[in-house]
Every structure is written in structure tokens, then in C-alpha cells.
Amino acid sequence: MCGIVGYTGTKQAYPIVIKGLKRLEYRGYDSAGVALQQNGKVKLYKKQGQVADLEENIGTQNVEGTTGIGHTRWATHGEPSDRNSHPHLSASGKIAMIHNGIIENYAQLKSELHRKGYTFNSDTDTEVLLNFIEEIKIQNDCSLEEALRIALKRVTGAYVILLIDDENPDTIIAARKGSPLVIGVGKNEHFLGSDASPMLEYTKEVVYVNDYELAIVKPDELILKNIGNEKITPYIQKLDIELAAIEKGGYDHFMLKEIFEQPQTIFDSMRGRLDAKAGTITMSGVQQYSEQLIKANRIIIVACGTSWHAGLVAEYIFEEICRVNVEVECASDYRYRNPVINKGHVIIVISKSGETADTIVAIENAKEKGAIILGVVNVVGSSIARLSHAGAYTHAGHEIGVASTKAFTAQLVVLTLIALKVAYMKGSISNERYKKLLAELEAIPEKAAWILNRHESIKKIAEKYKNARDFLYLGRGYNFAIALEGALKLKEISYIHAEGYPAAEMKHGPIALVDDELPVVFVATKDAYHEKIVSNISEIKARKGMVISVITEGDEAITEISDDVISIPEADEIVAPMLTVIPLQLLSYYIGVAKNLDVDKPRNLAKSVTVE
Ligand code: AGP
């Protein structure tokens, strides 16, 4: 899941492309590169490492040109290195190409080209596709656009590719299937990007390119075509996001900024939807499919990573107040299974980016079988949003830190609102409970701020345990999913091995791990399992484990038996996950920082997993 940027217009392309790459660096940071059209020739610069390393490497060399493309890489085929960096140059040296995605049949194409005498400078699938396109251009004596269309009919896999060459000055040719591509429309200039962040400061007018579409982009012209060479009228949409949303705003890291934004983003995810006083929830997407939701005897939730953890919390909520069976499926596995899905079955798909390849394919398969897809998505206009029949945006704003934080709590809010609305429509919840939960939801932003104001105490705990080799995270009921999420955050940010586990399962094996060097984090807020969790903590203490407990403020019983406690305000167990996760986000952040790690761009990760 690389980041791609393109510019053609009247301004110098290099500074715009480099700035765009920095905005997209959360998508991958194994290497970076740019290609510029200079005096009818293509000029390439590329380097292993981050965009800053590329800039340093370029130094004072000639970066003139008003048309350019740029790439920041998350390695799939070929290890991170200078020679595997993008852009790649064709055998003739006349065409440069960048690519985000995976060409699945590249080995077959490569052997065909080998037989024609081609050799390769890199191990990438991208260079193979590029030379395959050039070979078709030469054999058919046709235009680059025509050669691209012919080539793509032979390609399997996912791609966004951008090409520039010697013969078409001021022109960028692009194609999309499976990976995201946005085109920004300016005055005598156009911008291309994996998302809108590289173009936000120049234009708010964008076109979302769909699968199997090609774009021929010039400063004053944008032509969209399908792979059958038929013209498509570009549908220009207006972006509803401000530049400040993608700046650090005085915080050391985007992750910390996004954690501290949660009182506002949690409020934003319920704004215009929740009216606790009137006792109403307004969600047009859900309303549209209310009949199917009310009648559904089974709801399937599909997601990956942190979004999957949000699905696990939602499972408990739907089960409890909607009295419906819920299955939570990991999309990365579900897409390869042959699940029993029939017409009218309801699938709730959860995705922050809306571009996760495994999740996209899983819902495409389900849609083919007649399922109704309700999306809970953060990125407006993303593929999953467009694939869903209806749904709700989470309104958490742009999330740049690779470890998802504010998007997760916003997902929990939206899923809880959907469950409450369905329960109310079904009459499976008492009026009194319904009203109480609306009031509990409304109080969450303030309670989140209360926790954040006590971040210093969490920082001290992080300092104490930063050198631990392993961590265990335990919880029961709703808190089990939060234990999983806490463990994922620590893994992502600190590279410490951490495992989330149902607390009651410990005695069936994992308790063997416990000794006086193992920190065990308990998500132990007051709920129906409270007494049980007290016994679980005692079992760990009996084996000298070091216990850090997230508790409901004033819980003496657990404070007495824990080494460290992190308090949160009292809250109903259905909404408490929106609060209990915040201390765990901060704990992982402060441990990552204490270990001098790049918490915004953790190694081997990327924000949006657009390849399988
Ligand atoms: C979470 O911190 C990770 N970045 C990752 O697990 C993420 O949740 C997963 O890739 C799913 O992404 P999505 O919500 O954008 O679909």
C-alpha cells in the first residue's frame, strides 16, 4: 500500500510532488522516488528510506519540470532497496512508471519478456508490467495509452499506475483497479493522489477514479475512459476537509494529536444523529434498511485489524440489546471461505480507510450472493463506502498515525448508535434502558477528556514498563475486545510482543507465561464480571505477575491487588469500551516514545492495507 502523487500544470512539479509524498508517507516508507519531464526527457530520482532521505540525496540537482510523478513504497515484491524503489524506467528509458498494488501474474509476464530478451534492474512486479506495456507499444506501433489498455486486459491483480514518457509532454496517464486514486481539479493544473491529502491545499474539487478506468491528465484537460476505450464524464465532488486536519497542530506526533482529538471526534460521530433529550437517533442509512435489520436473525460483521476489534465489541452490543445472532469475521480469512450468505442477509462492514483490499473483496463476494452491505467507514468517497448499499460515516476526520485510535472510538459510537436504533425499532430494549444509554453516550466526550487530563500518570506507568519483553492484556465480556485492541496498539507502536486474551481462559494454559517479569494489563472496569475479574487478578498476583489495571474510578478492591491502576469515570458497560481503550492507546504511545521509536510510522506497517 504505497502512496502515489502526480502533478501537471504551470507550477514546478517537484515541490508539489515531494510535499504530497510526505503527506502520504503513512501509507509506506520503505523507499521514495520522483520522475519529472524535463525538456522532452524523463528524469528519475529514487532512494531507499523516507522522503527526507530522497530530498537529501537529490540535493541541488536539476528538479525542473511542470509535470511529475512521485511514489513512497511499502515493499511487496523485492526488498526495500534503491533498485527496487519506484519510479521504474522502461527498457528504452523513455517511459517512467509508479505503481500501488500487486500484479499477481507478473511471473508469467516476466518469462514472456525474458524470452524476448528483456532483462530487469529490479525484483519488482512493477518493472515487469512497465516493460510489458512498452513491448506492446513497440509491437503494435501504437500510443502509450493504447498499449496500456491492451496490457491491462492481460493483467491480474490490483493497481494504480501513473506513467509519464518522452513522447507526451505535460501528460500523465493513469489507470486504476483495486487501489485508490483521486484526481484534483485545479485551474490549468491537475493533481493525482492515493487520497486527497496531497492536493488539499491547492483544490477542493476532486474526482474519485473507479475500477477499470483510465485517466489521461493534462494541465487543462482531464479525460476519463473505461478499459473499453469509452469516454466517461468525470464526476467532480467537493472535499469537506480543512488543511489543519492534516497538520500536527503542535503535537509531537499525529498519533498523540489523534488520541487527544477524541473528545471532539467522538462528539462529531454522534452529532446530528443522537438527541438524548428527545430520545431519538437519526441515521438515514440505517433507516433505509430498517425492515431488513429488524427482521434479520443473523448479522455478519466483516473487518480487519482494529476495525475487527470494533466488530467484536459490536457483537456483544447487538446480541444484548437487539437479541440477534452476530458473527464477526476477519475479512482477510472470510474472503477465501464459502460462507452461507443468502439474499437479504445483512453484512455490516467496518473500515477506517475504506480501502482495505481483503475487506473489499469479502464484501464484493457477499454482495454477489445478494447480501445487503451496510458500511461503517471513515473516509468519504472511499471504495468500501461506494460499494456499500448504505451506511454511516464515522466523522473522525483524517487519521494519519498508522495505529488507529480516534477512528476506533468513532466506530464504537456509530456501531452503538446503529444497535440502539435497531433495538428501539425492534422493541427489544426497554424505554428506560434505551433512554439511559442515550444519556450515557452523550456523556462520553466529557469522560474521555477527563481521562486525557490524567495522561501524565499513564506516562509514568509507561516509563516503568518500557523495557518489558512481553505483555499480556486480559479482559472479560466487552473488555476482552479492548484487551485485544490494547495489545495490538502496543505491538504496532513498541514492537513488544503482546497478547490479548479472555481473562477466564488464562487457567486453561497461558497462565504458564506468568512470572515476575511479565506485565499483565487488566481491563477491569465495573460490570457484570467484576467479581470474576478480581479473582483473575489474584490468580496472576499469586504467580508474582505485575498487574496494571484499568478500573472504574474509586474501585478500591482492584486498586488493592494491582501494582498500578489507571482510572476512568463510571460508565455503562455498553459504552465503557469507548473510554477503556484510551489509556491503552496512551500506554502504547508513551512506551513507543520512551523507546525512541517512530510512533507515526512504525516499521513494516502502513495505514491502509490496499494489497492482499
Ligand atoms: C490499526 O491500528 C491498524 N492500522 C490496522 O490493523 C487496521 O485497523 C486494519 O488494517 C484495518 O484497516 P481499515 O479499518 O482501514 O480497514
Side-chain angles (χ1 to χ4, degrees):
M1 35 269 165
C2 310
I4 57 108
V5 177
Y7 173 79
T8 182
T10 52
K11 301 188 186 78
Q12 285 300 305
Y14 178 74
I16 294 171
V17 170
I18 285 289
K19 201 171 189 182
L21 286 179
K22 286 182 178 166
R23 292 218 188 281
L24 288 179
E25 209 161 15
Y26 64 81
R27 300 178 59 86
Y29 23 88
D30 291 328
S31 63
V34 297
L36 301 163
Q37 272 181 347
Q38 294 182 335
N39 314 321
K41 284 237 162 297
V42 172
K43 177 72 182 160
L44 233 72
Y45 297 104
K46 59 183 184 176
K47 186 85 186 106
Q48 181 181 357
Q50 304 197 0
V51 179
D53 303 315
L54 172 69
E55 278 185 293
E56 199 186 319
N57 191 259
I58 292 174
T60 57
Q61 296 180 70
N62 176 5
V63 287
E64 280 174 16
T66 56
T67 296
I69 56 177
H71 185 272
T72 179
R73 184 173 188 234
W74 191 85
T76 54
H77 292 74
E79 64 176 12
S81 66
D82 290 354
R83 68 191 189 87
N84 287 333
S85 309
H86 297 213
H88 290 279
L89 214 50
S90 64
S92 70
K94 293 185 174 153
I95 312 171
M97 184 166 110
I98 55 176
H99 167 221
N100 172 26
I102 287 182
I103 305 303
E104 285 159 13
N105 63 336
Y106 89 102
Q108 180 207 333
L109 301 177
K110 192 169 188 175
S111 46
E112 277 179 40
L113 291 167
H114 268 315
R115 283 196 293 279
K116 293 191 174 125
Y118 279 81
T119 57
F120 295 89
N121 303 314
S122 76
D123 312 318
T124 65
D125 50 343
T126 307
E127 189 187 7
V128 172
L129 175 58
L130 173 55
N131 282 316
F132 183 66
I133 295 165
E134 183 161 61
E135 174 62 14
I136 290 170
K137 185 174 181 298
I138 294 166
Q139 293 305 328
N140 299 277
D141 189 20
C142 63
S143 70
L144 179 57
E145 181 203 328
E146 180 64 25
L148 174 61
R149 241 198 316 283
I150 297 168
L152 293 179
K153 290 184 180 137
R154 286 273 322 275
V155 162
T156 57
Y159 55 77
V160 157
I161 50 182
L162 268 54
L163 298 129
I164 59 172
D165 68 342
D166 292 6
E167 291 167 18
N168 302 281
D170 305 336
T171 307
I172 299 175
I173 299 178
R176 182 221 150 137
K177 178 187 167 282
S179 301
L181 176 61
V182 186
I183 298 180
V185 181
K187 211 164 172 332
N188 289 326
E189 58 186 1
H190 284 98
F191 306 81
L192 299 94
S194 299
D195 66 30
S197 57
M199 53 200 80
L200 194 54
E201 62 193 274
Y202 310 104
T203 178
K204 290 268 172 67
E205 308 225 316
V206 296
V207 173
Y208 293 98
V209 180
N210 295 310
D211 279 355
Y212 303 107
E213 289 181 359
L214 274 78
I216 297 89
V217 190
K218 297 178 188 295
D220 54 2
E221 191 181 28
L222 166 59
I223 297 171
L224 268 189
K225 289 182 178 178
N226 61 24
I227 212 155
N229 200 18
E230 292 152 342
K231 278 202 175 170
I232 301 162
T233 311
Y235 170 44
I236 298 179
Q237 300 184 48
K238 209 155 184 55
L239 286 174
D240 171 21
I241 181 175
E242 295 310 321
L243 194 56
I246 57 175
E247 306 284 359
K248 273 193 197 143
Y251 286 90
D252 292 346
H253 298 97
F254 282 109
M255 184 180 180
L256 189 63
K257 175 194 175 211
E258 288 152 9
I259 291 173
F260 274 82
E261 280 178 341
Q262 290 180 107
Q264 183 59 46
T265 52
I266 289 171
F267 175 75
D268 292 342
S269 62
M270 50 179 87
R271 185 184 21 217
R273 292 171 169 158
L274 170 67
D275 184 338
K277 222 187 252 80
T280 59
I281 295 173
T282 312
M283 299 182 92
S284 54
V286 176
Q287 193 67 46
Q288 212 179 322
Y289 287 90
S290 52
E291 205 186 314
Q292 290 87 343
L293 281 160
I294 292 167
K295 285 207 194 101
N297 56 13
R298 170 182 182 235
I299 290 179
I300 306 155
I301 297 178
V302 175
C304 291
T306 285
S307 297
W308 179 63
H309 294 153
L312 292 173
V313 175
E315 176 184 21
Y316 282 73
I317 301 175
F318 276 90
E319 194 180 75
E320 184 183 330
I321 65 174
C322 303
R323 306 307 299 140
V324 62
N325 287 321
V326 178
E327 294 146 34
V328 185
E329 303 290 354
C330 244
S332 47
D333 172 62
Y334 196 58
R335 60 172 291 178
Y336 296 107
R337 283 175 23 212
N338 180 19
V340 180
I341 295 174
N342 301 326
K343 196 165 171 23
H345 273 160
V346 175
I347 296 215
I348 296 179
V349 56
I350 311 170
S351 176
K352 189 254 11 147
S353 63
E355 299 295 350
T356 301
D358 289 323
T359 308
I360 289 175
V361 177
I363 57 174
E364 282 172 339
N365 296 349
K367 216 174 165 181
E368 265 163 37
K369 293 182 175 174
I372 292 161
I373 313 292
L374 294 181
V376 175
V377 176
N378 196 51
V379 177
V380 175
S382 60
S383 305
I384 292 175
R386 285 181 279 141
L387 270 170
S388 303
H389 292 100
Y393 284 120
T394 48
H395 300 309
H398 207 63
E399 190 177 67
I400 294 172
V402 168
S404 186
T405 53
K406 63 176 182 173
F408 178 68
T409 46
Q411 285 167 348
L412 294 181
V413 171
V414 169
L415 291 161
T416 307
L417 285 170
I418 295 174
L420 280 165
K421 188 165 181 63
V422 172
Y424 184 80
M425 293 191 291
K426 278 183 81 169
S428 57
I429 187 171
S430 69
N431 232 6
E432 189 207 347
R433 180 104 175 96
Y434 175 73
K435 283 264 170 71
K436 176 174 180 289
L437 285 172
L438 295 193
E440 285 268 352
L441 256 179
E442 203 175 44
I444 293 291
E446 205 179 313
K447 291 179 179 177
W450 186 97
I451 297 167
L452 292 167
N453 290 339
R454 288 157 181 75
H455 66 274
E456 281 301 335
S457 62
I458 300 170
K459 192 173 180 180
K460 287 202 184 78
I461 295 173
E463 196 54 44
K464 183 175 169 186
Y465 295 99
K466 68 180 183 191
N467 298 320
R469 200 190 53 248
D470 306 278
F471 263 74
L472 259 183
Y473 285 71
L474 303 177
R476 298 178 79 130
Y478 291 90
N479 290 334
F480 164 51
I482 298 304
L484 287 173
E485 178 55 12
L488 176 61
K489 291 283 97 70
L490 191 70
K491 282 182 264 207
E492 288 185 285
I493 296 301
S494 74
Y495 316 153
I496 295 174
H497 170 249
E499 195 172 349
Y501 221 75
E505 274 294 298
M506 282 297 289
K507 54 187 174 293
H508 302 291
I511 199 162
L513 294 167
V514 178
D515 61 18
D516 57 5
E517 290 179 11
L518 181 73
V520 182
V521 177
F522 273 89
V523 187
T525 44
K526 286 216 172 116
D527 58 17
Y529 305 89
H530 191 257
E531 270 156 41
K532 302 290 180 207
I533 206 91
V534 170
S535 329
N536 294 141
I537 295 175
S538 308
E539 286 159 12
I540 300 294
K541 286 311 296 173
R543 281 124 187 119
K544 305 207 173 348
M546 300 178 281
V547 171
I548 306 156
S549 298
V550 177
I551 63 168
T552 302
E553 194 204 358
D555 185 335
E556 291 310 318
I558 294 187
T559 302
E560 267 160 34
I561 55 174
S562 304
D563 298 277
D564 294 282
V565 293
I566 303 169
S567 301
I568 70 157
E570 176 104 29
D572 187 284
E573 65 181 352
I574 283 191
V575 297
M578 301 164 197
L579 300 175
T580 50
V581 73
I582 298 175
L584 305 184
Q585 296 166 345
L586 284 169
L587 186 67
S588 66
Y589 170 78
Y590 286 127
I591 290 178
V593 170
K595 296 179 73 172
N596 291 322
L597 300 172
D598 188 339
V599 293
D600 277 344
K601 293 191 286 257
R603 71 183 183 199
N604 305 342
L605 287 180
K607 183 70 189 165
S608 170
V609 184
T610 55
V611 292
E612 60 178 277

